[in-house]
């Protein structure tokens, strides 16, 4: 097993999620729109890293949004649909904030954003471990 780029991608994203977890659990409230945007970018980063590592599909471009990138991931492998609703949840938060509808967000949107991000990360990391793309812990 030699997937150093994928390993580095997961390490970087994991560190960033840890920083958000520490911040939010300490009661700090980073600017929500920026947090949601960063969460979507981190998920896209994981998707791009995985697609690059597999090498069987075109890599999402920089202008492709999270859901467009997700479609590339799931094409030909519907088992990835497991995290579809989690990706959509982040996009929903983003859309609520864009439309000035923060009232439509969950009670603790910062925590929910970080938890959703962590959930996607863990699912993808576990999958990569099963596929021997990442080392088992």
């Amino acid at each position: 097993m030699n997937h150093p780029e994928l390993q580095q991608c997961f390490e970087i994203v994991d560190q960033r999620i840890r920083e958000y977890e520490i911040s939010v659990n300490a009661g700090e409230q980073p600017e929500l729109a920026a947090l949601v945007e960063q969460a979507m970018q981190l998920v896209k980063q994981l998707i791009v890293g995985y697609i690059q590592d597999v090498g069987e599909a075109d890599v999402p471009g920089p202008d492709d949004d999270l859901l467009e990138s997700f479609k590339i991931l799931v094409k030909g492998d519907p088992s990835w649909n497991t995290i579809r609703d989690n990706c959509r949840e982040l996009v929903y938060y983003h859309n609520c904030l864009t439309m000035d509808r923060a009232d439509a967000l969950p009670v603790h949107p910062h925590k929910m954003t970080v938890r959703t991000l962590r959930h996607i990360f863990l699912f993808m990391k576990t999958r990569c471990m099963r596929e021997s793309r990442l080392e088992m812990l």
Side-chain angles (χ1 to χ4, degrees):
M1 174 179 58
N2 189 10
H3 305 269
E5 293 87 7
L6 186 62
Q7 181 70 37
Q8 183 179 23
C9 175
F10 272 82
E11 288 172 1
I12 290 168
V13 171
D14 186 36
Q15 179 58 38
R16 193 70 188 124
I17 295 170
R18 273 194 208 120
E19 291 168 5
Y20 284 134
E21 288 169 336
I22 290 168
S23 173
V24 169
N25 289 335
E28 298 171 14
Q29 299 293 321
E31 202 275 313
L32 185 58
L35 176 63
V36 170
E37 185 66 35
Q38 183 65 36
M40 293 188 326
Q41 287 302 316
L42 291 171
V43 172
K44 182 180 174 185
Q45 189 174 331
L46 293 174
I47 290 171
V48 168
Y50 181 84
I51 291 171
Q52 285 176 326
D53 194 69
V54 172
E56 296 176 1
D58 291 332
V59 177
D63 294 333
D64 290 338
D65 68 21
L66 175 57
L67 295 180
E68 291 169 329
S69 301
F70 178 77
K71 286 179 190 177
I72 295 169
L73 176 68
V74 79
K75 187 174 184 180
D77 189 352
S79 65
W80 282 109
N81 277 317
T82 304
I83 59 170
R84 179 187 64 207
D85 288 342
N86 301 107
C87 292
R88 285 180 174 174
E89 184 175 354
L90 293 175
V91 172
Y92 171 77
Y93 294 175
H94 172 76
N95 290 341
C96 285
L97 294 168
T98 300
M99 296 184 322
D100 199 25
R101 288 296 315 270
D103 61 304
L105 292 170
V107 177
H108 302 287
H110 293 83
K111 286 184 178 182
M112 290 303 299
T113 299
V114 174
R115 287 180 183 157
T116 301
L117 175 58
R118 177 57 80 187
H119 174 80
I120 295 168
F121 172 86
L122 290 173
F123 180 87
M124 293 186 74
K125 183 170 184 174
T126 301
R127 167 105 180 225
C128 288
M129 291 165 62
R130 278 194 321 248
E131 294 175 357
S132 298
R133 296 181 188 285
L134 297 176
E135 293 181 20
M136 294 289 221
L137 299 176

